[in-house]
Amino acid sequence: MRPWINAPLLRALTSPAGQLSSPGRRRHSANDEDKSPSHCVRAAWISDVHLGTPGCQADALLDFLKHVECDTLYLVGDIIDGWQLRRNWYWPQAHNDVVQKLLRKARKGTRVIFIPGNHDEFARKFLEHSFGGVEVAEEWIHTTADGRQLWVTHGDLYDGVIQCARWLALLGDTLYEFTLKLNRHLNSWRARMGLPYWSLSKYLKLKVKRAVSYVGDFEQALAREARKRGVDGLVCGHIHHAEMRDIGGILYCNDGDWVESLTALVEHPDGSLEILDWAAIMARRQQLPQALTQPA
């Protein structure tokens, strides 16, 4: 049985030797020379990667990290899924490659700030510490190029289910994993039929009345807290629903996730913010060579 995540495991994750690599396999992604980045931005926010689960889209995230260059990279919680690793250890090579890629970015000059969430709450024991150049913080205030202040938090501390009924949150997490497993089988069939990827869990989240109400309550709670803090807006994750909108004069930004939506929030050099749909970006990149080879 694997030891639970603690300081020794964090040191293993941040080791240049990559102690979690699968035996006999080359760590290809983390140490390969990067291609010229296609997106140069001032800051980027990613969250809800859920390394340690079968649902994690590690290859897509590696592609994002290769093509996006930023001064500051925020890891806004649930990067490692401690809840899942407690139940069943799952750590393929691609997940180790993501960790090593993040550490490599930190070594090469990107400021990497990790704000733990509920699934990687073990890291909250190490606030104000640095592992391999990755700073661990409870929250952050980011100032954009145009002077706006954004409060950065994972968001679970403002989720009533997490705070008041943890057993219900754990049950929901188990059901969510089941939905993702079902979704993988469904999309395997859709791929054979030539149909595009479709997220069952995302569909349920947006269509089930109680789920829609939960998302709305979560957004309102965070907007109220940001208003109390006197900031212009906030960046969070947690609910796996990328969005950027005004809530009563507060700019609410959710960077999404790397399980369902494959999205990130970025700040451009002029201070403007944008949600990048990386699945769509990869699809366009794949279509371009095909279009160039088509006869006129």
Side-chain angles (χ1 to χ4, degrees):
M1 186 173 181
R2 296 272 186 167
W4 176 229
I5 294 178
N6 49 24
L9 179 52
L10 281 175
R11 287 194 291 272
L13 287 170
T14 58
S15 166
Q19 295 175 25
L20 293 180
S21 297
S22 301
R25 292 187 59 189
R26 188 174 70 91
R27 288 171 27 245
H28 55 87
S29 299
N31 288 332
D32 287 347
E33 287 299 316
D34 295 339
K35 298 177 181 178
S36 298
S38 56
H39 294 73
C40 293
V41 296
R42 189 167 181 266
W45 292 261
I46 60 174
S47 74
D48 299 272
V49 175
H50 292 276
L51 294 170
T53 70
C56 171
Q57 304 280 352
D59 289 335
L61 180 56
L62 281 167
D63 187 76
F64 170 86
L65 294 172
K66 286 180 182 179
H67 287 88
V68 174
E69 192 65 44
C70 55
D71 298 329
T72 306
L73 175 62
Y74 292 94
L75 309 176
V76 195
D78 287 1
I79 304 303
I80 298 174
D81 196 322
W83 292 9
Q84 174 69 19
L85 290 174
R86 280 194 185 101
R87 295 193 293 263
N88 182 40
W89 186 268
Y90 178 84
W91 197 271
Q93 179 63 36
H95 293 202
N96 197 71
D97 290 339
V98 168
V99 173
Q100 293 298 319
K101 183 65 176 176
L102 291 170
L103 296 172
R104 185 165 183 246
K105 277 190 171 290
R107 290 197 301 270
K108 293 181 70 175
T110 298
R111 188 176 191 184
V112 181
I113 299 170
F114 171 35
I115 298 170
N118 50 303
H119 283 262
D120 45 23
E121 59 192 352
F122 65 87
R124 287 175 174 157
K125 298 177 182 178
F126 307 101
L127 298 177
E128 311 306 323
H129 287 73
S130 176
F131 291 90
V134 177
E135 304 171 52
V136 185
E138 184 174 12
E139 56 185 20
W140 205 265
I141 298 294
H142 174 83
T143 303
T144 63
D146 54 8
R148 290 175 293 172
Q149 288 194 318
L150 303 177
W151 169 48
V152 185
T153 179
H154 178 64
D156 63 294
L157 298 177
Y158 302 88
D159 180 344
V161 174
I162 296 292
Q163 296 305 310
C164 302
R166 185 177 176 84
W167 68 269
L168 185 58
L170 292 169
L171 175 61
D173 183 62
T174 301
L175 294 174
Y176 179 66
E177 286 295 327
F178 172 77
T179 303
L180 290 178
K181 185 176 181 179
L182 181 62
N183 198 59
R184 286 194 293 274
H185 290 297
L186 174 62
N187 277 287
S188 176
W189 173 82
R190 287 176 63 88
R192 290 195 297 270
M193 298 295 292
L195 298 172
Y197 177 84
W198 181 74
S199 175
L200 172 62
S201 54
K202 186 176 181 180
Y203 172 81
L204 294 174
K205 189 182 299 179
L206 296 177
K207 294 298 182 181
V208 177
K209 185 176 180 180
R210 190 176 296 274
V212 172
S213 176
Y214 163 77
V215 170
D217 291 346
F218 173 80
E219 294 171 344
Q220 292 291 337
L222 279 169
R224 284 195 299 270
E225 181 63 26
R227 192 174 296 108
K228 289 179 184 177
R229 292 167 178 257
V231 294
D232 300 291
L234 66 104
V235 181
C236 65
H238 186 54
I239 59 172
H240 295 206
H241 179 57
E243 189 168 15
M244 186 166 59
R245 67 188 181 95
D246 182 274
I247 302 178
I250 296 294
L251 178 62
Y252 170 88
C253 303
N254 192 306
D255 58 26
D257 69 282
W258 290 85
V259 175
E260 302 170 63
S261 57
L262 310 188
T263 53
L265 178 73
V266 297
E267 179 197 354
H268 295 290
D270 62 357
S272 61
L273 300 170
E274 179 187 6
I275 293 175
L276 296 182
D277 182 341
W278 204 252
I281 290 172
M282 289 192 299
R284 287 198 298 269
R285 195 192 309 144
Q286 291 172 357
Q287 291 169 1
L288 183 60
Q290 296 175 3
L292 292 176
T293 57
Q294 292 296 323

